[in-house]
Amino acid sequence: MNQVLALPTTHDEAWRYADPAALAALDPGELDQWCDITLSPGEAACRVLVLDDASPGVQRLRLTLAQGARGAIFAIASASAYTRLEVEVRLARGAHFEFGGVTVGSGDATREFVTRVIHAEPEATSNQVVRSVHWGRATGNFLGAVHVARDAQQTDAAQNFRAILLEKGASANAKPELEIFADDVKCAHGAAIGALDDTAGFYMAARGIPPEVARRLLVRAFIADAFVALEDEAQRDDLLEQAVARLEGSRL
Amino acid sequence: MLRIDNLHATVGGKEILKGLSLNLNAGEVHAIMGPNGAGKSTLGYVLGGRPGYEVTGGTVTFRGQDLLALDPHERAATGLFLGFQYPVEIPGVSFVQFLREALNAQRNTRGEEPLSGGEFLKLARAKAGLLKLDMEMLKRPVNVGFSGGEKKRAEMVQMGILDPALAILDETDSGLDIDALRVVGEGINAIMRQQDGGPDKAVLLITHYQRLLDYVKPDFVHVLAGGRIVKSGGPELALQLEAEGYEAVAA
Ligand SMILES: Nc1ncnc2c1ncn2[C@@H]1O[C@H](COP(=O)(O)OP(=O)(O)OP(=O)(O)O)[C@@H](O)[C@H]1O
Ligand SMILES: [Mg+2]
């Protein structure tokens, strides 16, 4: 088959907050590529992704979790051009999926996480935490779809998105989407977008902490939520440092 | 040490301080009392440089410098400490981390070497002990989940660690139980009373009640009403206020 794939546009629901100019420049061939990961029953695996200037563009990950398997993905999207991580997960009975994502940066780039979590069987759980920190004219998005199949009773699916915009002109969007076909299900989602807490900023200044250090401490505490479930402490600290490091050298 | 001359300040476009003058010398303890809404906390915030508190007139000199020309964190490094009426909670940042950053930032601004982790913990433990605050509490996020009284005691632990020249303590006594009031009063004396041959120290206590003044005896008591100091006196003024009320004494 030699079919030419159409490029997505912002009219497509799953691409609605993307940057139109960046979409037009995508390579159609790349858009068809998925990285497939399959975990066998009871297996546990954790994948850490740093999408910085070494890997901008679109990345797609498909995760298939067999009964009782535990899959975790922790990601930073910080490249200076359009960056999008798509994750599609299928959970069998009693499996667990954990996602922690941070979009961070300035410029005028859009950085986004798009997840589709399919609770195909009963008793599976999923937890997704995304934090965005932007300034300049940058945008951070989280589009999280949760699908609970007809028989997937006792599903517990949570997603939480919070964004801090350090300057006017930056933006953030959340688009939770729930398709629930079972009745005994817990699905929680929350989203909040705001500025850095200036009361805390003044309290810190009153103790002698300069504004740039206060900002680093507050941002670090804010994004740490996305990585609390990362069990390896060294890896967790390393990811946090990499995300916070994007603030250094910014003109804030 | 601190000279406030004809200070005017607005908050949210409304004039709150209307020509306030006050002079504090090294070694002195002053108390400011006054009705709710008089502008006492505003005075503290203006001196601390809180954004949104705009000075529209007057001057403030602190240790020979124009205080109002400094950024808030520089004011702290110059030796000003503001004890908050409502201490702020900062989730995700531990007290230990917060105070170590604060102390070392102040030392850096003053051109001093930073304290190592070990040196800092030793100092923090000593000051927590002085205020009878469990050191374990300093490992928790700043003020998060602390009771009202614990927050006030933690403010004083912070003051002990930062060792300022001037402390402006805004209702540090509110929310304290009877024993905690004594511990905090003695703590203030231990940290902020000028010692012979020691560095210059002064305290400005903002309070509604005599009870803290029983422990931290003031040299001067002022009544702040309507955005200015309307009456000043010795320690007996606080007792008179408590007995007769603001209306009778300062009208
Ligand atoms: N953002 C604001 N906009 C307008 N008015 C304000 C603002 N913040 C404070 N005020 C007013 O300023 C006045 C002084 O407040 P302040 O907190 O300094 O009083 P206070 O003397 O500390 O009172 P208390 O004894 O109750 O603590 C009050 O009338 C208050 O309503
Ligand atoms: Mg007040």
Side-chain angles (χ1 to χ4, degrees), chain A residues 202-203 205-208 213 217, chain B residues 50 73 82 102 105-106 143 155 158:
Chain A
F202 175 63
Y203 192 62
R207 299 295 175 254
V213 178
L217 287 171
Chain B
R50 183 171 188 154
H73 71 281
L82 194 57
Q106 289 200 20
N143 289 321
E155 290 284 289
Q158 296 182 48

Side-chain angles (χ1 to χ4, degrees), chain A residues 162-173:
Chain A
R162 282 170 62 201
I164 285 182
L165 306 176
L166 298 175
E167 288 179 331
K168 286 198 178 69
S171 59
N173 303 284

Side-chain angles (χ1 to χ4, degrees), chain B:
Chain B
M1 171 171 301
L2 179 75
R3 174 181 285 277
I4 305 171
D5 201 23
N6 196 26
L7 186 63
H8 291 255
T10 61
V11 187
K14 185 176 159 206
E15 182 166 64
I16 307 295
L17 299 185
K18 302 170 182 172
L20 187 145
S21 298
L22 189 65
N23 205 358
L24 264 84
N25 296 311
E28 294 175 353
V29 172
H30 291 237
I32 287 188
M33 305 178 84
N36 296 132
K40 302 181 300 296
S41 293
T42 300
L43 174 63
Y45 289 144
V46 167
L47 295 177
R50 183 171 188 154
Y53 288 70
E54 201 189 334
V55 175
T56 51
T59 57
V60 181
T61 311
F62 175 52
R63 305 181 96 186
Q65 288 193 61
D66 176 4
L67 184 75
L68 302 177
L70 301 176
D71 283 339
H73 71 281
E74 296 169 334
R75 299 181 190 196
T78 310
L80 178 70
F81 180 89
L82 194 57
F84 281 56
Q85 184 174 358
Y86 305 107
V88 178
E89 300 187 1
I90 309 179
V93 179
S94 79
F95 252 124
V96 167
Q97 187 186 17
F98 170 72
L99 284 167
R100 197 178 158 204
E101 291 278 1
L103 180 60
N104 282 337
Q106 289 200 20
R107 292 176 67 92
N108 183 46
T109 308
R110 295 192 295 257
E112 300 164 10
E113 289 293 308
L115 286 194
S116 72
E119 288 167 327
F120 173 78
L121 284 177
K122 197 170 157 220
L123 177 66
R125 198 168 284 118
K127 300 305 175 185
L130 184 66
L131 273 305
K132 299 197 165 48
L133 189 80
D134 188 350
M135 185 62 193
E136 286 303 306
M137 293 194 71
L138 295 186
K139 295 178 180 160
R140 287 172 31 185
V142 175
N143 289 321
V144 176
F146 282 47
S147 74
E150 286 166 348
K151 286 179 183 171
K152 295 304 177 71
R153 246 185 304 165
E155 290 284 289
M156 294 302 95
V157 174
Q158 296 182 48
M159 183 173 78
I161 290 170
L162 297 172
D163 194 24
L166 171 64
I168 300 171
L169 305 181
D170 192 357
E171 296 197 29
T172 296
D173 52 342
S174 70
L176 293 176
D177 69 45
I178 294 159
D179 293 339
L181 184 68
R182 181 177 44 77
V183 169
V184 162
E186 289 169 354
I188 295 170
N189 287 328
I191 297 162
M192 293 306 299
R193 283 286 178 190
Q194 191 159 329
Q195 312 289 325
D196 281 340
D200 284 356
K201 297 262 174 186
V203 181
L204 184 58
L205 294 170
I206 296 172
T207 184
H208 285 295
Y209 304 104
Q210 170 64 31
R211 58 193 181 192
L212 180 64
L213 306 182
D214 288 338
Y215 295 105
V216 188
K217 297 205 160 34
D219 303 292
F220 301 94
V221 174
H222 312 273
V223 179
L224 199 169
R228 57 170 76 89
I229 303 292
V230 295
K231 195 177 175 73
S232 296
E236 72 289 344
L237 179 57
L239 297 167
Q240 194 194 349
L241 285 167
E242 193 142 88
E244 301 172 22
Y246 295 115
E247 299 235 345
V249 177

Side-chain angles (χ1 to χ4, degrees), chain A residues 11-232:
Chain A
H11 296 299
D12 300 318
E13 269 306 299
W15 297 82
R16 62 186 291 177
Y17 298 119
D19 170 8
L23 292 189
L26 289 175
D27 171 3
E30 212 174 77
L31 278 180
D32 201 25
Q33 291 176 5
W34 286 88
C35 168
D36 274 293
I37 302 170
T38 302
L39 300 191
S40 39
E43 197 184 347
C46 173
R47 176 73 66 101
V48 170
L49 296 161
V50 177
L51 308 178
D52 56 13
D53 283 329
S55 47
V58 180
Q59 315 261 337
R60 287 177 159 164
L61 222 60
R62 194 152 44 204
L63 206 57
T64 307
L65 304 179
Q67 187 165 340
R70 301 179 66 82
I73 294 171
F74 298 96
I76 299 175
S78 64
S80 34
Y82 178 62
T83 309
R84 173 183 176 104
L85 174 65
E86 287 187 30
V87 182
E88 192 175 296
V89 188
R90 187 185 181 283
L91 296 101
R93 181 182 287 269
H96 177 75
F97 171 60
E98 185 77 38
F99 180 70
V102 169
T103 72
V104 57
S106 63
D108 55 8
T110 296
R111 302 160 180 94
E112 57 187 358
F113 296 121
V114 182
T115 64
R116 180 167 170 77
V117 178
I118 301 159
H119 286 258
E121 295 180 12
E123 294 161 23
T125 53
S126 62
N127 185 45
Q128 306 179 71
V129 179
V130 175
R131 296 289 178 264
S132 292
V133 179
H134 294 290
W135 60 104
R137 302 196 51 77
T139 300
N141 302 325
F142 177 40
L143 292 80
V146 173
H147 178 96
V148 181
R150 197 166 307 281
D151 298 322
Q153 304 298 355
Q154 282 154 46
T155 287
D156 190 339
Q159 47 172 294
N160 185 279
F161 175 72
R162 282 170 62 201
I164 285 182
L165 306 176
L166 298 175
E167 288 179 331
K168 286 198 178 69
S171 59
N173 303 284
K175 185 175 176 286
E177 195 181 315
L178 305 177
E179 308 163 323
I180 302 172
F181 300 100
D183 45 33
D184 181 12
V185 165
K186 273 202 287 188
C187 283
H189 65 92
I193 298 168
L196 209 57
D197 180 354
D198 54 3
T199 311
F202 175 63
Y203 192 62
M204 291 176 137
R207 299 295 175 254
I209 300 178
E212 63 279 7
V213 178
R215 192 163 46 229
R216 177 162 55 72
L217 287 171
L218 292 172
V219 166
R220 193 180 207 282
F222 176 74
I223 61 181
D225 290 354
F227 301 137
V228 277
L230 178 52
E231 278 157 25
D232 185 322

